[in-house]
Amino acid sequence: MKREALSAFVAGGIAFLLIFALLYFAPQFCATTGGKMPADDTLAVRRARLVFAGDLMQHTTQINAARTADGSFDYSGSFRYVRDLFGEADVAVLNFETTLAPCEPYTGYPRFRSPVHIAGALKDIGIDIVALANNHICDNGLEGISFTLACLDSFGIASTGVFADSAQYRARHPLRFEANGIRFALLNYTYGTNGMPVPGKTIVNLIDTTTIAADLARIDGSETDCIIVFFHWGEEYSRRPDDGQRNLSAFCRRRGAHIVAGSHPHTIQPLEAHIDADSITRAVTIYSMGNLVSNQRWRYSDGGLTVALDVEIESDNPPVIRMTPIPVWVLMPGYRILPEQVADTIGMSEQQRAMYRRFVTDTHTLPGL
């Protein structure tokens, strides 16, 4: 009986202490946390979907096709069928291979100068970031770069790879962004600028392994979950990556890059999933996404690839990446960009259908597709 009484006394004492603790500490807890239990971030799984697209070109015939009767420009028909693809992504990124100009004349190849309406159209369909480091960024000198940067800023489209001055370089290189709690860092480089000089105080990121190694080393892993490197590289119209692309991709992965994406060849090149010892994809390489939209109507260049990357972070582990390729083909007239699921249902002539089928077949013969 004494033992039972003692047990009851101890139990009552513990209950009293618990009630006292709650009454005493609850006000302090609510004051510091808003009354919410702190989340255990080490156990939370964070997920984000990125969508990457290839070269956005603006040849003269594309500009003319978008021109309206009142002298303005309307690109909505071109992007109608990819609006959901980009809009439903957490972050959508493409290679912006033109420059913007405030007025006529607008020109295509070899020196691209496009109306601002194309930037507005990209904003409307959900493009969040554009890579600017490519061989055409210096086509219109300092004015072209300055106006392009200012115009993209006015539409709320982030950019990197090219910078107005050193202050902007420090602010946007790497370009940092966050999606669903996942912290990304994006670097962007080009092989060259078609021999055009980089004007004034402008900075264009050129491919140089010493510089790239230093840039990757400066990214603080404690503040970054996933590192992306977007290159303008490779041989035009080749359907296979060259040794330079393969070596550079491996170089970046060894230094911590998780996603390496590429543009410039104007053709689709293979995808690679890099799997760790546990058979988990922790890094991917997209060698070339080809053309999102252009006037290059010949075989292998009349379409391109968008790639959805589902990035998952759990605790302090490296990212898990799931890659979904989505081919897109450009239907004329109107430069209508058609994802595969749309193109399979939309009306086409026999000739158009044959060209589209050839594009699909060519695409799916590549490794990773």
Side-chain angles (χ1 to χ4, degrees), residues 58 63 72-75 96 98-104 106 113-124 147-148 150-152 154-155 157:
Q58 277 292 281
I63 297 170
S72 184
F73 296 87
D74 182 1
Y75 288 93
F96 192 75
T98 186
T99 64
L100 299 173
C103 59
E104 301 271 12
Y106 301 121
R113 178 184 166 95
S114 303
V116 299
H117 304 74
I118 187 66
L122 295 183
K123 180 65 176 179
D124 288 344
F147 187 79
T148 298
C151 187
L152 291 169
S154 72
F155 280 105
I157 299 174

Side-chain angles (χ1 to χ4, degrees), residues 69-143:
D70 64 1
S72 184
F73 296 87
D74 182 1
Y75 288 93
S76 59
S78 181
F79 296 109
R80 172 185 174 188
Y81 297 107
V82 289
R83 175 184 292 273
D84 290 345
L85 173 63
F86 294 124
E88 293 173 2
D90 293 302
V91 178
V93 186
L94 59 74
N95 173 51
F96 192 75
E97 197 156 355
T98 186
T99 64
L100 299 173
C103 59
E104 301 271 12
Y106 301 121
T107 56
Y109 183 83
R111 297 183 65 174
F112 291 98
R113 178 184 166 95
S114 303
V116 299
H117 304 74
I118 187 66
L122 295 183
K123 180 65 176 179
D124 288 344
I125 64 169
I127 297 298
D128 301 290
I129 299 171
V130 296
L132 290 178
N134 60 66
N135 57 312
H136 284 287
I137 192 58
C138 293
D139 280 4
N140 290 289
L142 181 59
E143 179 187 358

Side-chain angles (χ1 to χ4, degrees), residues 232-277:
H232 205 66
W233 61 358
E235 181 182 347
E236 282 189 303
Y237 311 118
S238 172
R239 299 183 69 221
R240 297 281 188 252
D242 58 28
D243 289 342
Q245 290 168 271
R246 292 188 181 279
N247 292 339
L248 194 51
S249 173
F251 177 89
C252 291
R253 293 198 313 277
R254 289 195 300 270
R255 287 160 178 80
H258 304 101
I259 299 169
V260 176
S263 60
H264 176 61
H266 302 300
T267 54
I268 300 171
Q269 294 182 347
L271 308 178
E272 290 180 358
H274 307 288
I275 300 171
D276 68 7

Side-chain angles (χ1 to χ4, degrees), residues 272-302:
E272 290 180 358
H274 307 288
I275 300 171
D276 68 7
D278 296 321
S279 300
I280 298 173
T281 300
R282 301 287 189 185
V284 299
T285 301
I286 308 164
Y287 282 108
S288 174
M289 292 170 282
N291 293 323
L292 174 65
V293 61
S294 79
N295 192 49
Q296 296 181 338
R297 303 303 305 154
W298 51 84
R299 186 175 185 179
Y300 307 127
S301 295
D302 55 350

